[in-house]
Amino acid sequence: MESIRVRGLRSLVDTGVVEIKPITVLVGTNSSGKSTFLRTFPLLRQSIERKTKGPILWNGVYTDFESFSNSLNDSSLKEPGNDKIKFDFSFIYTNFPLGRVHRINSKELSLEINVSIDVKEGAAKNSCYTSKYMVDLFGHIVDFYFDEDGTLTKVSSDKINWELNKQTTKYQLTNTDNLLPVIKNPDYSYFYWDDKKSSISSVLFKQIKKLLQEHSGSGSDDKMNRFASFLVSQLMSDESKLSLMRELKSTTKWNNLVLNVWHEEHEHFSFLAGIIDLFCIIENSAHINAQVNDLLRRVRYVAPLRASNQRYYRYQDLSIDELEHTGANVGIFLSNISKKWRGRFDDWTAENLGFKINDRVVSGHISLEVEHVDSGFSDNIADMGFGYSQVIPIIIQLWSVASSYEASLKGEKKSRYIFVIEQPELHLHPKMQASLAKIFTGSIKLASDNSIDLRIIIETHSSPMISKFGDMIALEELGKDKLSVVLFEHDRKERRSSLKKSDFNSDGELENWPSDFFVY
């Protein structure tokens, strides 16, 4: 995920577009909206992992927002039309060839798409539904409007306007339990020009073919079918569409039109391109939703109150491929790591933290011990102080993702992960807090070495950690473009948060930073 914007969620009236860097640090006073923003990520993950009646599962295993009505910003209700919560994010989409037409434009195999949903309260108590879905494709913003039953009622953009409730096509129901609306499930068993298929895509394809026939003056159905199929074969920019049209040789009228008359802003071309975009978005709606779901499943969340370390953990012969967000299964997770991977983990913790974590199975229980590299002495983790219980789940989970250990367990390709952590500095000495900055930076490098795109989002009150990030930038141990600091400020009277971006300069100094932030 490249960026996110949240509107109407509790105090977050409008966060603006927040870019997600490799390391994004959220700072601010208590109750300023940091946790609400950070918990949006586990909220979205729990929403796509369970089958729900609506798009958002407000109360789940990772976080509890209670309900839509409890989550809607109080001041929003005072403003007409602000009865919705809006999630807007951009991500890298892998293009799909449609139908039996092979991919044409290799330049757009991956592209950045911006999507958003407006979530409103349903008629039933504690229910919600998607009232509007926006897709921004190469700057062409297409809005889809739905009623509570999931029926698509209207499509509009600066290029097209289609009131579907005035049409005879009443079959355009979406899958309402997805995060993003799936307007049409993919069906690759037929060519798009199959007139026997009764779908919204058939209506659009016929219109595309009709416009091509009018502009070319050709009456050949076969040729127009081929032309239209090539033009809708994948999501394309207007520049690519026009380039492809110039390659599709036809009548003299057509050749003169695309070579000498049409340009990207030409009225007739723009209208045709808009319908092509609409067709492609609808046909790709299942893939867009699936790719967003795949990304959100890779959200890893560490809660602010981690489980306390125990002297003994009960051993269970289970295969564990992911640490719980509270760290409650840390014992069995460590005991599952194979000898090969365990050696890599020990080397990483020894290098970055100066200790190893050993596990021993004793009478059906697991004992965890911290072995200090400099002395060789070991202590049971329960005797190490509460700070260790809070930081060890973070260390293990970070290594698991960044090293590709977790991906290997799940048989997945190395991919993108979003790692969100609330207050990693809990119960840690200031020096240890500062060392976390090195751990996070090292995790990003480890992930990069393993071809993993890891984004870490941290909510913190730790000035030592923030200062250490600045020191690392000044020493060129961390590129200043790899880190962003987002400052949250809260207006108690208006009950709304405002966000301001602060960056480190090359000297490791924070810019656009309130001078009294750490004053007390």
Side-chain angles (χ1 to χ4, degrees):
M1 191 176 294
E2 304 304 304
S3 67
I4 187 169
R5 182 181 185 183
V6 182
R7 284 171 272 188
L9 181 64
R10 292 190 173 171
S11 67
L12 304 179
V13 175
D14 188 352
T15 64
V17 176
V18 179
E19 186 179 3
I20 303 174
K21 294 287 189 74
I23 300 176
T24 303
V25 182
L26 314 179
V27 296
T29 58
N30 293 327
S31 300
S32 59
K34 304 185 305 298
S35 296
T36 297
F37 178 81
L38 182 138
R39 291 175 188 175
T40 298
F41 294 92
L43 172 68
L44 293 173
R45 177 179 174 179
Q46 71 188 25
S47 298
I48 59 97
E49 286 189 333
R50 299 289 298 273
K51 191 168 181 63
T52 58
K53 293 182 179 180
I56 302 296
L57 180 61
W58 299 103
N59 180 4
V61 66
Y62 302 116
T63 188
D64 181 6
F65 279 78
E66 188 177 316
S67 64
F68 175 90
S69 58
N70 187 63
S71 302
L72 183 65
N73 175 261
D74 291 339
S75 60
S76 295
L77 295 173
K78 302 174 185 177
E79 303 171 14
N82 278 5
D83 55 345
K84 56 185 174 291
I85 297 172
K86 194 178 186 81
F87 302 95
D88 186 319
F89 41 86
S90 62
F91 67 101
I92 302 299
Y93 175 74
T94 303
N95 231 334
F96 276 86
L98 296 176
R100 300 177 186 175
V101 179
H102 295 294
R103 190 185 303 280
I104 303 161
N105 190 354
S106 60
K107 294 180 181 179
E108 291 166 359
L109 296 181
S110 295
L111 55 119
E112 186 171 330
I113 294 181
N114 189 64
V115 297
S116 72
I117 54 171
D118 289 10
V119 180
K120 286 189 174 184
E121 189 169 23
K125 186 178 181 180
N126 295 330
S127 67
C128 65
Y129 70 99
T130 299
S131 63
K132 180 181 174 183
Y133 173 43
M134 183 279 293
V135 180
D136 183 349
L137 181 63
F138 299 104
H140 181 201
I141 299 174
V142 183
D143 294 319
F144 298 86
Y145 296 85
F146 306 92
D147 63 20
E148 191 174 349
D149 293 328
T151 301
L152 179 60
T153 60
K154 180 182 176 182
V155 180
S156 69
S157 76
D158 58 345
K159 296 181 180 181
I160 51 178
N161 190 19
W162 191 9
E163 296 277 356
L164 277 87
N165 57 350
K166 296 179 182 178
Q167 309 295 320
T168 57
T169 52
K170 293 294 183 182
Y171 42 73
Q172 59 278 6
L173 289 174
T174 69
N175 292 338
T176 58
D177 62 335
N178 290 301
L179 180 64
L180 302 181
V182 175
I183 304 168
K184 181 181 179 298
N185 287 306
D187 180 3
Y188 298 147
S189 62
Y190 68 95
F191 289 100
Y192 294 114
W193 53 83
D194 187 344
D195 293 340
K196 296 179 182 178
K197 294 287 181 179
S198 177
S199 72
I200 190 171
S201 297
S202 292
V203 174
L204 291 170
F205 191 88
K206 291 173 186 176
Q207 178 69 5
I208 294 168
K209 188 174 74 171
K210 178 183 176 183
L211 290 171
L212 290 173
Q213 286 174 324
E214 290 176 357
H215 292 307
S216 67
S218 172
S220 171
D221 267 358
D222 287 343
K223 180 179 287 188
M224 293 304 103
N225 281 335
R226 289 197 304 273
F227 273 30
S229 297
F230 279 120
L231 290 168
V232 300
S233 61
Q234 69 181 77
L235 298 170
M236 284 186 280
S237 63
D238 284 356
E239 179 185 4
S240 296
K241 293 189 195 77
L242 189 55
S243 177
L244 179 57
M245 288 178 184
R246 287 167 177 165
E247 294 176 15
L248 300 173
K249 304 300 181 182
S250 182
T251 62
T252 302
K253 178 182 177 182
W254 171 261
N255 295 340
N256 179 64
L257 192 67
V258 297
L259 291 171
N260 302 317
V261 179
W262 277 3
H263 49 80
E264 292 178 37
E265 286 75 36
H266 191 279
E267 179 183 3
H268 293 161
F269 169 78
S270 181
F271 181 67
L272 175 57
I275 296 178
I276 292 171
D277 283 345
L278 178 56
F279 177 94
C280 290
I281 291 170
I282 289 172
E283 283 291 319
N284 280 280
S285 62
H287 291 303
I288 292 172
N289 178 66
Q291 289 193 30
V292 169
N293 286 358
D294 184 62
L295 177 62
L296 292 174
R297 286 190 186 95
R298 287 180 169 82
V299 167
R300 297 294 176 265
Y301 171 53
V302 179
L305 294 177
R306 274 79 79 181
S308 299
N309 283 332
Q310 302 173 32
R311 188 167 297 278
Y312 296 104
Y313 295 83
R314 184 178 179 183
Y315 179 79
Q316 293 175 292
D317 193 17
L318 297 173
S319 177
I320 305 295
D321 56 18
E322 184 180 332
L323 200 67
E324 290 182 7
H325 64 289
T326 62
N329 64 341
V330 63
I332 192 169
F333 184 89
L334 282 172
S335 69
N336 266 258
I337 301 177
S338 66
K339 185 177 181 179
K340 179 186 76 171
W341 284 100
R342 189 55 182 270
R344 297 177 185 177
F345 176 61
D346 290 343
D347 290 343
W348 190 74
T349 57
E351 178 184 353
N352 290 278
L353 295 161
F355 62 77
K356 300 178 182 180
I357 307 171
N358 301 322
D359 63 281
R360 293 188 300 111
V361 178
V362 182
S363 302
H365 292 79
I366 303 168
S367 171
L368 298 183
E369 297 179 350
V370 174
E371 177 188 341
H372 301 278
V373 175
D374 56 353
S375 67
F377 290 113
S378 300
D379 295 289
N380 188 287
I381 205 165
D383 299 324
M384 295 296 295
F386 200 60
Y388 276 88
S389 72
Q390 300 302 288
V391 76
I392 280 177
I394 298 171
I395 295 166
I396 295 173
Q397 184 81 297
L398 270 175
W399 173 84
S400 175
V401 168
S403 66
S404 76
Y405 170 69
E406 183 184 307
S408 72
L409 289 180
K410 296 183 177 182
E412 298 174 341
K413 294 181 180 179
K414 298 172 183 179
S415 187
R416 303 179 180 92
Y417 288 85
I418 299 174
F419 199 104
V420 293
I421 316 167
E422 288 193 68
Q423 301 177 42
E425 72 276 10
L426 280 179
H427 299 282
L428 295 181
H429 183 275
K431 185 177 181 179
M432 188 63 170
Q433 293 180 28
S435 69
L436 284 176
K438 295 183 66 176
I439 293 293
F440 296 137
T441 303
S443 298
I444 294 297
K445 184 181 184 303
L446 179 64
S448 178
D449 291 344
N450 287 289
S451 302
I452 291 173
D453 182 357
L454 175 61
R455 312 289 174 98
I456 302 175
I457 304 174
I458 308 158
E459 185 247 320
T460 184
H461 296 285
S462 173
S463 56
M465 187 195 307
I466 296 171
S467 296
K468 186 63 177 179
F469 278 128
D471 293 342
M472 296 178 72
I473 288 172
L475 295 171
E476 299 184 350
E477 297 173 0
L478 173 65
K480 65 185 184 69
D481 61 324
K482 301 293 184 183
L483 183 143
S484 177
V485 179
V486 182
L487 176 64
F488 286 71
E489 297 176 330
H490 191 232
D491 186 324
R492 306 286 179 190
K493 185 177 180 180
E494 294 294 328
R495 298 179 65 84
R496 60 175 63 197
S497 302
S498 61
L499 279 66
K500 183 168 61 176
K501 185 180 178 183
S502 178
D503 291 305
F504 287 99
N505 60 25
S506 56
D507 294 325
E509 299 170 338
L510 278 167
E511 299 177 328
N512 193 31
W513 187 256
S515 59
D516 62 345
F517 188 78
F518 288 123
V519 174
Y520 50 89

